[in-house]
Structures are given as C-alpha cells and as structure tokens.
Amino acid sequence: MKENKIKQVNVKNSANSNYTAEDITVLKGLEAVRRRPAMYIGDVSTRGLHHLVYEVVDNSIDEALAGFCKNIHVYINNDGSVTIEDDGRGIPTDIHAGEKRSALEVVMTVLHAGGKFDKHSYKVSGGLHGVGVSVVNALSEQLEVEVKREGKVYYQKYRKGDPAAQVKVIGKADSGKTGTKTTFIPDGSIFKNRTFKFETIAERLRELAFLNPEVTLAIKDERKNQKQEEKFHFKGGIMEFVKYIDSTRPSIMKKVMYAKGEAKDENSRTVEVEIAFQYNDQYNENIFSYVNNINTHEGGTHMVGFRTALTRTLNNYAYKNGLVKEGGVQLTGDDFREGLTAVISVKVPEPQFEGQTKTKLGNSEVKSIVESIFGPQLFDWLEENSPDAKRIIEKCLRAAEAREAARKARDLTRRKNAFDGGGLPGKLADCSINDPEHCEVYIVEGDSAGGSAKQGRDRRFQAILPLKGKILNVEKARLHKILENDEIRAIFTVIGAGMGETFDASKIRYGKIIIMCDADVDGSHIRTLLLTLFFRYMKEIIELGHLYIAQPPLYKIKKGKQEFYAYDEEERDEIIKRIKSEKKGKAEKEEKPEKSEAVEEGAVVKEGGITISRFKGLGEMNPEQLWATTMNPDTRTVLQVSIENAADADRTFSILMGDEVEPRREFIEKNAKYVRNLDV
Ligand code: 0RA
C-alpha cells in the first residue's frame, strides 16, 4: 500500500503502434524514458519500482516459453540492487548487422529492440509488461549484464542506460552453460523509495510459477537481517493455483476441473487456452484471468467466452440428466458462479488491451476460441465425474433459491426506502459541493468520533458517514443477508455506484472514500471488515484508487502551550528529543520556570513538564484536533489502498475473514507486519 499513485498510462510499443517523433528520439538514447518514466512503467511509486524486476523476469519467462529456459533466480542484494539470472540461451552478443555493434548492447540500449528478434511471439502490446529491458536500463543508476554463450562470459555495464564501456569477454563459461544475468540499481533521482519488498516480488514469482509449470522460479533476500528465500515450482500448474487460492475454502469437488487446448485465429496464429476451476462451499465468485501471464483485472473476451460456455454447458448437463425440472426455478449465470474459483490463462499472439486500466482483453476471436475449447471438455468432464457434477448443480440450485429470496428482500427494502422518503441515509452529513472529483467521504467508526468529525470537517467538500459498531462480515454471508444489513446498505447508497455486477464507477459520488477507525484491535477489525466489503463488492473503487485509510496520530506530546502529534513511537521519541534540546537552549537564555500543566488521564509525564498521552480512540480527540491531525488535506497523511496481486489478495481475505481459525492464526503469525500494513 502506498500514499500516492500516479495514473497508469498505457505503454507504446513497436508491435502495434506507429512510431511518433518522440519515439524516434527514444530510439537514440532512451531520453524520453527518463523524462517520462510513468509512460513506460505506469508510475514511479513502489509499484513501478517492482515492475522493473518483473520486466526483466518477463524476458526470462519469454525465453522459457520458447523452450530454452528452466530456472530463474532473483536476488535482492545488500547494496540495494537486484539480480535476475536465467539459464536460457543468453542474449546474442554478435555484431548486429544494422546497428554495427553488439546485439547485446542493442537489446539493452534501444527501446524495444526485443521486437527485432522474431522470438517474441507472445510479446504484449499494452499494459505494463513487455516494454523491454532497455527501459529498466534507462531507469537504473547502474546496470550490469553477464551473458554465458558459446563457452564465454560476456559483460557490459551501463549508467542510466548508456554503455560505460564496450561488451567484453570476462571469462570462460562451463561447456554447455548458457544464460543471462542482469543486476541493476534503480535510479534514486527517479524512484523516491528504492526498497524492494521480498513478499511483493515473491507473489509475482509464485503467480508466474503457477502459470508456467515448466519453470522454476526462486527468490533470495541477501540483505542484512532479512535473510529469507523461497522457491516456486508447481507441476500441477493452474490446477494447483486454484487450490492455493482456495486453501482455506473447502472444495465441494473431488478434484479440480481442468481444460486445455489451442486453436488458430483468423491469421492462422495459435491461441492457447488453459482453464482450471473448482466450487467451494461459500458464495464468492473468484475468477482470475490472464493473458500472456498478465492478470486481466477487467476481464475481456476470454472471460466472456468462459462464462458463456460454463452457463450453457452446466445448464445443458442439468436438463439432460433430469437434475432440474421444467417449470422449476430458472438457473442464471450468477447461480453458476456462486462459490466458483477459476483461473483462465490464454496466450494470444497480438493481444489488444482495453478498459480504464488497460487490463481488459479486446480480441473478439478469443471469445469463441475459449467457448469452443472449454465447452465440450467441460461437458465430457461432467459426464465422467457425475458425483462432482451433481454436487455442482445442487449448489447452483441453492444459489438460485437464495437469489429469489434476495430479490424479495430487495423489493422489500425498496418499498421501505420509498416510505422513508428514499435517498441518502439520515446519519450521513453530506458535503455542500457535489463534484465527485473534489469531494470525499469519511466512513467513521462509532457515533462519537462521527460527531467530532462532523464538527471538525470542512463541510464544503467533506462528508461524514458514522458507522455503528461492526459491520457484517461479507466473506461469510449470502447476498440477500448483505443487502438486508442497514450499515452496508448505507455505504452502498452513500457511494452511489451500486455493487457487484451492476457497479458503475461513473456514478461514484466521492473521489476519495476514507476509512477512519481507531488505532486499536477493534478498529483494525472494523477496517478489515470494510476492506473486505470493498474488495468483494466494489473492487473497482480500489482499482481506480478511490479508497484510502485515514492515519490518526497515536500520541500527543505537550509542552507548555505547544502541542505535537506523533504517528508512531519513533516520531514520538524524536519530538521529545527535539523539545528537550530546544529547552536546553532556551533555559540558557531565559531562566523562567515552566508553569505546570493539568495532566490528562492516562498520560505519562516525563521530566521537564513534557506530557505524553496516547490516543485510545478517535473519540478522544476534539473536532479541532481531529481536523488538524487527520482530516486537513494539507497536513494529514492518508494511505491509498491498492491491490498488488489480485489472487493473493483474495486468498488473504479468505484467510482473514473465513471461518477456519488455524490457518488464520498461522497467517497472522507469519505475516504480522504485512497484515498490520493492510497491504492487500
Ligand atoms: C533475443 C534473442 C534470443 C534470446 C534472447 C533475446 C534472450 C533475451 C533475454 C532476456 C533475459 N533472458 C534472456 N534470454 C534470451 C535468441 C538467441 C539465440 O537464437 O540463440
């Protein structure tokens, strides 16, 4: 999670767009990459920083897809650099005919030179991947590459993308040994935060290992005090991925359903399709779709093809086997996806990406390819696994019944709202302007903090919605229960964009939705419940960067009339030190004794009349304090919630909010810091 995000911009590349004048200057010296890094890697936050690693790893994965690489190792080094090593063929080092210099230098210094070699049949024409390792080079203070080929070790070093010297041979490679090893230090003038997170990289490597079962990926943290390593290799591929995602959600099936096939598109290029799914005993739909190893958050034609084939085939099977009665309850697409966890992985030679975050596959031919591969294989599987098939249909029937009940409950609430006068809930203190871009809503734990927030806010653009106690855990509840819940309905209504399938981001009433909870155990539970609600029913709000977490201070430090706030222990101690040293200086000038102050309850008094009190809850702060410390946009800190890895976030929520205690305890122990940071 991070504080600021720069809007993701799509990447230009040579595969599908014409070069512009700017690209031509780029071809000269990667200048434009350094001038506008966000154009190439999305942003320069920690997300962009980690994309540098992914970009190099993706090149090794390409080499693996071509059939020449089996192992990829990532090292986070103690000097702040990262090394990516593979055992592929090695980047060619001979003199490149057109460029009159080593092909290695061309690959490393020319924007998207990878396209000059024909091997990149799966290169991506959008999104953040596949921009080329030269982009990583351009954004690195220093980059070193070592290539083992033809019994030699070649080496070249670069600074900010420019070669520091020519390619030279620095040694002999053992016979038959080939590969590429890249080590880079990101440029500090571009990346403010250059700390790599082991877990973030590990999650991506794990995902790649599930998607590419022939590859072994490993990561080792070589930094002092952080020694840890992990190795990922999953023979079962996406079947194992499904089990991993659902590790705390019991399956209702004996085994995971798996389908695989390939077909030619209209230009006779091969499209590969792989699908794995299972149904768990819960109610959420979790479909993760990938195109060329990239998570397509917004779905697209592969997703549509999957859903269409799933609905049609299960319906056909149910009718054919007399599992549903004519004239009985009609099964809809939604019913077939309750409790479904699926991974769809397609390889498309020339993908077109659409959508707000360029993560929606647009190629229309892929829909029918997925349908024609998945539909028949699913039908056969159902015939061959009739006990599993029966359980699936029974589950769908129960979902249909619940859906009916939910519809009735909704009708009821609509009527109730009509009686209430409809519209926004009474406890919302709305803001006076109504331009969503400039408005924010605080969702506040408790009525008393809500009261302070209402008084302390700037009512022109800040709205306050107080919540009573804990909201329903949506992880464990069916839709109609969720819609019957007053607090949750209030949240949906206030945000104004609907929920689930019918969510419409253009209707969001506030540009910033800020969760404000106490800094205690209850507060953290309520925050997690709210995050779960957003993640499950309004995920786009997170994806579009609208969701934030307020950071109230933990301590107040008082000295005479001066008041300071500290957001953690470290800051508290710094402030105390500062006051003490100021005092020393002052005491030498004027010998006036400090007047003793009334000490608040629970406060700790330190020598020299410094009072330190710990805020137990938001309710303890008066409106002015709350404004000054937590709500004033000029001085506050808010954390923006982002999803780094959708499949892992899903798994995290199911562990945190599901009903199995043991995995949750284990998870929290293993990831104590991670959970506290809410870095989903
Ligand atoms: C261009 C051509 C060939 C291999 C590669 C690039 C290559 C690039 C990377 C980047 C990281 N690891 C890599 N491994 C290979 C083909 C070379 C040949 O024909 O032998």
Side-chain angles (χ1 to χ4, degrees), residues 209-240:
F210 282 128
L211 295 168
N212 304 284
E214 66 283 4
V215 190
T216 301
L217 295 114
I219 174 165
K220 194 165 180 195
D221 200 336
E222 304 274 24
R223 289 171 296 193
K224 268 197 213 99
N225 311 322
Q226 314 211 28
K227 301 269 178 230
Q228 53 182 329
E229 56 187 304
E230 275 204 76
K231 197 172 197 170
F232 306 110
H233 178 75
F234 305 108
K235 262 208 314 244
I238 61 170
M239 278 192 273
E240 277 191 70

Side-chain angles (χ1 to χ4, degrees), residues 127-173:
L128 295 175
H129 300 256
V131 291
V133 66
S134 59
V135 167
V136 179
N137 194 11
L139 302 177
S140 294
E141 209 167 272
Q142 177 180 295
L143 185 145
E144 291 170 276
V145 63
E146 256 183 62
V147 171
K148 287 195 207 113
R149 261 178 94 93
E150 297 136 10
K152 294 190 183 108
V153 183
Y154 298 84
Y155 171 88
Q156 193 171 29
K157 181 163 149 178
Y158 315 83
R159 286 196 192 91
K160 300 183 178 183
D162 293 328
Q166 295 212 331
V167 175
K168 59 182 174 214
V169 175
I170 56 161
K172 283 188 190 146

